[in-house]
Amino acid sequence: MVTNLHRKRGSMLLTAIAVIVVFSLLIAVSARMLMNSDQNKVTVSVGMQAELLAHTGTEFAMAQLFPLGASNGSLSSLLWGDGEPASKSILPANCSSVSHEDGNILCNGFRDGCYLDKLYIDVKKIISDDVSGSDVLYEYQITSSAVCDVPFISSYCAPNSATCSGNTSYYKVKRTETTKASDISWNVSAE
């Protein structure tokens, strides 16, 4: 009877150790999943900032292409000077190095580390003879890309502050928006 009692104590000890190991693994996996969840939230939030900045670039390009009150559509745009529309980048020089405090919303509108990477207008000119004279259709494709730095969740950055504590490593997230627009330059000759 004494030997039977020792066997039961030994198996209960092994069972207790196994339960402790299983619960420890569950706790470790749960903690890792919670950390990944927080990192995903940060990535989605910063990704949305990049998307909004890319959209801001598109809106800026559209406003440059089609100025308010212009009588001649996109041909009145100051982008072309006295010439004809042509493909070009309208991103300010050194946009990625402009500081948030400089007030250039186009380059760095939300925060430091979030900037327009590309703002390009591609122009396609199509001439049509459907109406008397030559009508010109300009098709524009605007491509706007924004890049934002995403901090790893192990660092803490105070709101509206450029300083972070802890591990301050980052990875980049990029969002691109492409928009098409067109404008017809009517050249109707009076006969």
Side-chain angles (χ1 to χ4, degrees), residues 10-165:
S11 68
M12 288 186 347
L13 182 62
L14 287 175
T15 304
I17 290 173
V19 168
I20 290 171
V21 168
V22 167
F23 278 114
S24 298
L25 288 173
L26 284 174
I27 290 171
V29 168
S30 296
R32 184 68 181 157
M33 286 175 51
L34 285 173
M35 270 184 76
N36 285 344
S37 174
D38 288 343
Q39 187 66 50
N40 287 341
K41 288 176 189 175
V42 170
T43 302
V44 167
S45 175
V46 173
M48 180 60 74
Q49 291 177 0
E51 192 171 325
L52 291 171
L53 187 56
H55 185 73
T56 300
T58 301
E59 292 288 329
F60 174 79
M62 291 292 284
Q64 296 296 309
L65 270 176
F66 303 103
L68 289 175
S71 60
N72 200 9
S74 63
L75 295 178
S76 300
S77 174
L78 297 176
L79 289 173
W80 320 126
D82 292 331
E84 211 174 280
S87 299
K88 69 186 296 184
S89 174
I90 61 171
L91 187 66
N94 300 323
C95 205
S96 63
S97 63
V98 173
S99 171
H100 179 72
E101 286 79 22
D102 292 342
N104 189 334
I105 291 178
L106 182 63
C107 284
N108 203 338
F110 295 104
R111 60 179 178 81
D112 283 337
C114 199
Y115 58 90
L116 273 176
D117 183 46
K118 177 181 182 182
L119 187 54
Y120 190 80
I121 301 175
D122 188 35
V123 180
K124 185 177 179 185
K125 180 179 177 180
I126 302 170
I127 298 177
S128 167
D129 290 323
D130 291 342
V131 183
S132 61
S134 296
D135 298 329
V136 179
L137 172 68
Y138 290 100
E139 290 183 344
Y140 303 102
Q141 180 171 318
I142 301 166
T143 304
S144 177
S145 296
V147 176
C148 290
D149 293 333
V150 181
F152 282 106
I153 203 67
S154 61
S155 63
Y156 171 75
C157 300
N160 299 323
S161 173
T163 59
C164 298
S165 62

Side-chain angles (χ1 to χ4, degrees), residues 1-15:
M1 185 146 301
V2 174
T3 58
N4 200 10
L5 185 61
H6 286 309
R7 283 187 187 160
K8 285 183 181 177
R9 280 188 191 166
S11 68
M12 288 186 347
L13 182 62
L14 287 175
T15 304

